[in-house]
Amino acid sequence: MITVTLTKQAVLNLQRGLYNISDFAGPKFAYIIARNIASLKDEVTSLQKALAPAKDFIIYNQARVKLAEEYSVKKKGQPTTIIRNGVQEYNIIDQVAFNIALRQLQAKHKSAIDKRGKQETAFQTLLEETVEVTLYTLPRKDIPKEVTARQLSDI
């Protein structure tokens, strides 16, 4: 067991890395992975709460999605999506009309959008803060052979 100082961003990255290798065999390995995930749980939960959108932003976002669905190409009555630059988005029929309607919606929910922007900025600052965490270690001989160097570097 060791105590290390990590940025909160590093805590999130470590948790993701631990989950990515949590299915490998070996009772000692599985135990250490589970203990480390549990050790990070409180910090990760507090970060998730810090980023959770406020109710007024959720209402705006639901309205935004509904608007996009209204203006999207329909296939069998369902809105269709496309992948653009690696991002899935609705396949909008009339982009100009959609943009006008979206700007009106954004104006109506300006306060919620502004608060969300400030929340995201504050969250980015929060990720730079450091925290001490206790991690559990195991000898190299107990690391499953199937674990790759890349997976190990993620933890």
Side-chain angles (χ1 to χ4, degrees):
M1 181 167 63
I2 60 172
T3 300
V4 295
T5 302
L6 299 173
T7 64
K8 292 183 179 192
Q9 178 65 62
V11 169
L12 290 177
N13 294 344
L14 177 57
Q15 185 213 33
R16 190 175 310 115
L18 290 168
Y19 273 114
N20 286 339
I21 62 171
S22 63
D23 289 334
F24 287 102
K28 290 180 185 177
F29 186 75
Y31 174 76
I32 293 299
I33 296 301
R35 289 286 308 262
N36 284 327
I37 289 171
S39 180
L40 301 174
K41 184 177 181 177
D42 289 344
E43 189 61 41
V44 170
T45 299
S46 72
L47 291 169
Q48 290 169 335
K49 287 179 182 176
L51 190 57
K55 186 176 181 179
D56 57 349
F57 185 81
I58 292 171
I59 291 168
Y60 156 72
N61 199 48
Q62 290 169 339
R64 182 189 61 79
V65 169
K66 184 177 178 185
L67 183 70
E69 289 174 347
E70 287 174 22
Y71 281 87
S72 71
V73 175
K74 307 289 189 296
K75 192 173 204 177
K76 295 182 181 177
Q78 296 298 315
T80 60
T81 59
I82 57 173
I83 305 294
R84 187 177 320 207
N85 298 325
V87 177
Q88 183 177 12
E89 50 186 62
Y90 287 98
N91 188 8
I92 303 298
I93 297 171
D94 184 350
Q95 192 68 50
V96 173
F98 171 74
N99 287 344
I100 291 169
L102 180 61
R103 281 193 295 277
Q104 291 171 347
L105 182 66
Q106 289 169 335
K108 179 179 175 184
H109 294 274
K110 182 176 181 356
S111 174
I113 294 167
D114 290 347
K115 282 194 300 188
R116 180 66 175 169
K118 289 176 185 172
Q119 180 187 23
E120 289 174 344
T121 300
F123 184 75
Q124 290 304 315
T125 301
L126 182 65
L127 289 177
E128 295 170 10
E129 293 179 6
T130 58
V131 64
E132 286 191 356
V133 295
T134 301
L135 298 174
Y136 300 87
T137 61
L138 77 159
R140 287 185 181 171
K141 67 179 178 65
D142 292 326
I143 298 173
K145 291 179 176 114
E146 299 83 13
V147 177
T148 66
R150 180 171 185 209
Q151 290 167 323
L152 285 176
S153 71
D154 286 344
I155 59 166

